Amino acid sequence: MPINYGYAEEETLKSSGYDIKMIRWLFPFFAPYRRLLILSIALVSMITLLDLSLPYLTKIAVDRYIVPVTGEQAMITVDSDASAPSKEKRRIYRVDASDPENVAIIRKYPALFRVTGTEALIDFEHLAELSKNDLAVLRKDAVTGVGLVALLFVILAVADFVMSFFQKLVVEISGHKIMHDIRMRLFDHIQHLSISFFNKNPVGRLVTRATNDVQNMHELFSSVISFIFQDIFLLIGIAVVLLTIHWRLALITFAVLPFVCWAALKFARKARHIFRVLRAKIAEINTRFSETIEGMRVVQLFQLETENNRIFHRLNHDTYLMGMAQIQVMAVFLPLIELIGVAAVAAAISFGGAGVLNESISLGALVAFLSYIRMFFRPIRDIAEKYNVLQNALASVERISLIMDSKEKLPLPPGNDGSAAEIIRPSAQPLSEIRFDRVSFEYVKAEPVLKNVSFSISAGETLGVVGPTGAGKTSLINLVIRFYDPTEGSVQINGVNLSQMPPDIFLEKISLVPQDPFLFAGTIRENILQGIKTISDEEMAAILSAANCNALVERSTDGLDTILPSGGGSISSGERQLISIARAFARDPELIILDEATSHIDSGTEHQIQQALANLLKDRTAIVVAHRLATVRNLDRILVLHKGRVMETGSHTALMAKKGFYYRLNTIAG
């Protein structure tokens, strides 16, 4: 059977709406947590308003208290020549003339003040002529105002901290919940895919999807979604505030935005390709690593370390090059944005400074403007970095979606409607017959491995399946278990097509003792029961006795609770086979399938296994696939396969008497 272990990049989505399609694919996972996400965005909005208010407080402090602007009162008359009075702009400071302390200072310096009703005016340049104590009294309101502004600044900063904490908490909770749901959905989906899917997808690739790729998606939830909103809100808010402060200076500053957009588009195109390739390369590394570990005996036996290193070095180097390409893109883009930001600040200082000198803009407004400009390019840099994370995450989303959208499942029967119930009902009866009706099957189109196979097995009958390598014996077993569906014809139990029967209905009737049984990491007890919740000590003792497992359990350190590693590497192949037989006994099946169950067993253990198998087959229907023809001689009937066709069928005695294909197989076997 051809198996594709290719290390080439997996299938990718080539449509122009790649990002939108991937985000739309995620919507069903967002839906259960939309309230948390909305709360996160609401907190982001409030945090953005707080961030926008802080530089404006600086403007208020400068223009109202530190270097106050007096509006029209700044235009005063200067009589430099009695015949030619003139007006010029001067920065002046207002003083409350009704305050007794201020009145005393005004009287102390009458030449410096101009009293107009309830207030007095003094040029800023004359404030330096006052004593420090007098200046402190005169500006006590300004000092108080600055203190209040500073206190408000601290209060807003604390509020920003508290809201940021809760926003981060909310987004992390929702992100972990979404990641949990995706991983569970992916795991459940993979378990229900057909065996043909796993023939084409190595373990390392699938493990990467469930671990690295899902973790990358967490970055999308925790770092991108809410913060993208924050950066977008901040950009819009800053643009509005800049236009409000001084629209002409704002438009001059915005002249750099086309360069920002151009750089962002160039970055986006390069980053998207890099991350899609990078995710594929990481999957290839994991696949090679996984297969090397699984096949370490072969690697060391045939001294393949050098060749394996060469292949892994190529994969690792390709990944390194893509990582360097990612760094190069970021290394160019971020300093470029920084440079454009500096250019914007330089333009603001140049034109804004001139505006302060000719008093078309206040000093406080310019200070706030420069703060907002620096803030304006911070979210642009953040968006670039978040886009970096976004593309990495979306590349992972694409890989996961390719698996989740895979249709490589065997079709299930109709839903629980009336017709389906009628079809399924006979299967709940005790097993009476298994029938292959003109079955043909192929793994690869136009390359059949079974051709027009027809036979039946009655309840209690034992059927041996023999034939040379490649005859189709294992494929026949795969169809009985419904790992695959026939290309043509049907496999039936009790007259019902397996494709019309829910898997739990017929699989509960079947147990398989494979050629090389797989044991999970866990105790001997767990490996025998495999999900069976309730079983008495007496029943377990009977199972161990019938499967000849008592000796194994007794010499194990913790008996049934002895922990085995994944694959059962700490015990012999014969002992693994005994546990597999005990596993079959625990289900008390109606049909036993033995797939070369003694082919890898040493002679010392073979007798125990043969005895355990005899116990297992007693009073049960059985299909026994065997290379060693002696295994099937005492069975009720033997099915002889060759090149996918049934050559002969009958008992051992009858087939030997015919002196046909089976006879020749026995002769060759000696």
Side-chain angles (χ1 to χ4, degrees):
M1 178 179 62
I3 297 177
N4 176 20
Y5 288 110
Y7 295 98
E9 179 181 353
E10 298 96 319
E11 178 188 357
T12 53
L13 304 179
K14 301 297 184 180
S15 61
S16 57
Y18 164 78
D19 291 351
I20 300 300
K21 284 189 176 183
M22 292 299 96
I23 293 174
R24 189 185 301 138
W25 184 86
L26 286 172
F27 277 169
F29 297 99
F30 291 162
Y33 310 106
R34 56 184 176 274
R35 291 182 180 177
L36 286 175
L37 293 174
I38 291 171
L39 175 60
S40 174
I41 293 171
L43 288 171
V44 161
S45 302
M46 290 186 281
I47 293 169
T48 303
L49 290 176
L50 291 176
D51 289 342
L52 289 172
S53 66
L54 296 180
Y56 205 82
L57 289 178
T58 305
K59 177 182 182 302
I60 292 174
V62 172
D63 285 346
R64 185 173 296 179
Y65 302 113
I66 300 175
V67 187
V69 177
T70 59
E72 295 181 356
Q73 291 297 330
M75 187 75 72
I76 62 174
T77 301
V78 180
D79 296 327
S80 57
D81 188 302
S83 61
S86 62
K87 291 183 178 182
E88 65 180 39
K89 288 184 178 181
R90 291 182 182 178
R91 189 171 296 277
I92 59 176
Y93 184 71
R94 295 173 182 271
V95 179
D96 184 3
S98 62
D99 188 322
E101 291 182 323
N102 292 344
V103 171
I105 296 174
I106 292 171
R107 289 175 178 173
K108 187 177 179 179
Y109 304 96
L112 301 181
F113 290 91
R114 295 178 295 282
V115 181
T116 58
T118 58
E119 65 179 8
L121 305 178
I122 181 174
D123 292 353
F124 254 86
E125 61 187 34
H126 294 318
L127 289 176
E129 300 177 24
L130 276 63
S131 68
K132 290 184 178 181
N133 291 335
D134 291 339
L135 183 61
V137 171
L138 200 65
R139 303 205 65 182
K140 62 181 181 296
D141 290 340
V143 172
T144 302
V146 170
L148 290 174
V149 171
L151 178 62
L152 181 58
F153 199 99
V154 172
I155 291 173
L156 292 180
V158 171
D160 188 291
F161 168 79
V162 172
M163 289 187 182
S164 296
F165 169 78
F166 283 106
Q167 191 275 335
K168 184 68 173 176
L169 184 64
V170 169
V171 79
E172 284 291 336
I173 290 173
S174 57
H176 276 284
K177 286 180 175 292
I178 294 170
M179 185 172 65
H180 169 272
D181 291 351
I182 290 175
R183 188 177 283 122
M184 288 304 301
R185 185 84 62 85
L186 178 62
F187 185 78
D188 182 68
H189 179 78
I190 287 176
Q191 287 190 106
H192 289 88
L193 290 171
S194 65
I195 298 300
S196 61
F197 173 85
F198 299 99
N199 291 337
K200 296 180 289 186
N201 289 274
V203 173
R205 179 181 298 172
L206 300 179
V207 171
T208 301
R209 299 296 166 262
T211 53
N212 297 18
D213 285 326
V214 173
Q215 187 61 41
N216 282 338
M217 293 172 67
H218 174 252
E219 295 296 323
L220 172 65
F221 309 131
S222 62
S223 302
V224 177
I225 295 176
S226 294
F227 290 99
I228 283 291
F229 279 101
Q230 181 176 1
D231 290 335
I232 291 174
F233 291 163
L234 196 60
L235 281 174
I236 296 173
I238 291 173
V240 171
V241 173
L242 290 179
L243 290 170
T244 303
I245 292 176
H246 199 284
W247 68 269
R248 290 187 182 87
L249 186 56
L251 293 180
I252 291 172
T253 305
F254 293 161
V256 302
L257 290 182
F259 299 100
V260 173
C261 294
W262 172 82
L265 290 175
K266 294 282 287 185
F267 165 77
R269 282 196 293 267
K270 288 184 176 295
R272 176 180 301 172
H273 171 73
I274 288 171
F275 280 113
R276 295 174 82 179
V277 175
L278 189 59
R279 295 316 309 161
K281 294 299 178 185
I282 291 174
E284 292 171 18
I285 282 181
N286 287 346
T287 298
R288 170 57 66 175
F289 210 96
S290 173
E291 291 195 345
T292 298
I293 292 173
E294 289 178 0
M296 189 58 69
R297 288 183 175 86
V298 176
V299 171
Q300 294 182 357
L301 176 64
F302 292 101
Q303 301 180 24
L304 298 175
E305 293 90 341
T306 302
E307 176 64 14
N308 230 20
N309 278 342
R310 186 189 64 79
I311 296 173
F312 190 80
H313 178 271
R314 176 180 58 80
L315 292 173
N316 200 30
H317 186 65
D318 289 345
T319 306
Y320 163 79
L321 292 178
M322 295 312 300
M324 289 299 99
Q326 170 198 348
I327 292 173
Q328 288 171 8
V329 170
M330 294 299 296
V332 171
F333 180 76
L334 292 180
L336 182 60
I337 294 298
E338 191 72 30
L339 179 61
I340 295 173
V342 170
V345 171
I349 292 175
S350 176
F351 291 96
V356 170
L357 294 177
N358 62 31
E359 299 189 4
S360 63
I361 182 173
S362 68
L363 179 61
L366 179 60
V367 171
F369 201 96
L370 292 174
S371 296
Y372 280 120
I373 287 295
R374 286 192 292 271
M375 284 180 63
F376 187 78
F377 283 91
R378 187 187 72 197
I380 291 178
R381 288 192 299 272
D382 287 346
I383 288 175
E385 293 175 356
K386 297 301 184 294
Y387 187 84
N388 201 354
V389 174
L390 176 66
Q391 286 304 314
N392 193 11
L394 289 181
S396 294
V397 173
E398 180 185 31
R399 304 293 172 192
I400 293 174
S401 71
L402 288 172
I403 294 178
M404 296 282 281
D405 295 339
S406 172
K407 305 301 182 183
E408 291 191 53
K409 292 183 178 181
L410 294 178
L412 293 175
N416 295 323
D417 54 19
S419 60
E422 291 177 3
I423 292 174
I424 293 171
R425 190 179 300 118
S427 63
Q429 301 170 356
L431 179 65
S432 61
E433 182 188 51
I434 300 171
R435 178 177 294 277
F436 272 57
D437 185 16
R438 298 186 298 276
V439 168
S440 296
F441 175 65
E442 54 191 31
Y443 295 105
V444 179
K445 192 173 182 179
E447 296 182 16
V449 293
L450 291 176
K451 307 170 188 176
N452 199 29
V453 173
S454 295
F455 66 91
S456 65
I457 314 171
S458 300
E461 184 181 7
T462 55
L463 175 71
V465 181
V466 300
T469 300
K473 301 184 297 295
T474 299
S475 297
L476 185 144
I477 297 303
N478 287 338
L479 295 179
V480 175
I481 303 172
R482 207 191 171 211
F483 283 161
Y484 301 89
D485 275 338
T487 308
E488 297 178 6
S490 63
V491 180
Q492 303 169 12
I493 290 182
N494 294 355
V496 180
N497 193 325
L498 281 185
S499 64
Q500 298 298 315
M501 202 181 296
D504 58 334
I505 296 294
F506 66 85
L507 288 179
E508 68 182 9
K509 302 176 184 294
I510 302 173
S511 274
L512 169 68
V513 180
Q515 179 177 351
D516 187 14
F518 181 84
L519 301 185
F520 292 92
T523 65
I524 295 176
R525 184 191 308 274
E526 290 168 343
N527 272 284
I528 291 175
L529 297 182
Q530 283 298 300
I532 298 175
K533 302 299 182 184
T534 56
I535 188 169
S536 66
D537 292 341
E538 293 77 10
E539 290 173 321
M540 177 59 80
I543 290 171
L544 295 177
S545 176
N548 280 342
C549 284
N550 283 325
L552 168 63
V553 172
E554 288 170 2
R555 69 169 173 271
S556 298
T557 307
D558 297 316
L560 280 171
D561 296 317
T562 300
I563 297 177
L564 302 177
S566 178
S570 61
I571 59 178
S572 70
S573 59
E575 290 169 331
R576 289 197 297 271
Q577 196 63 276
L578 290 174
I579 292 177
S580 177
I581 294 170
R583 182 187 290 171
F585 266 115
R587 277 149 187 77
D588 191 21
E590 298 178 53
L591 171 65
I592 292 293
I593 300 175
L594 305 180
D595 186 8
E596 309 282 3
T598 59
S599 62
H600 291 169
I601 307 305
D602 58 273
S603 57
T605 315
E606 184 174 2
H607 176 70
Q608 298 179 38
I609 293 176
Q610 291 287 7
Q611 187 178 21
L613 289 175
N615 295 336
L616 183 61
L617 296 180
K618 187 177 180 181
D619 299 326
R620 288 188 173 92
T621 309
I623 300 176
V624 180
V625 174
H627 272 306
R628 286 190 272 189
L629 301 181
T631 307
V632 300
R633 286 178 180 174
N634 296 322
L635 300 182
D636 297 330
R637 191 153 49 95
I638 300 171
L639 190 74
V640 184
L641 291 178
H642 181 53
K643 295 184 178 179
R645 297 184 183 276
V646 177
M647 300 295 292
E648 297 172 315
T649 182
S651 66
H652 170 74
T653 304
L655 291 175
M656 290 299 289
K658 288 178 63 175
K659 295 190 177 181
F661 192 77
Y662 179 78
Y663 176 85
R664 291 196 296 274
L665 288 177
N666 274 271
T667 302
I668 294 172

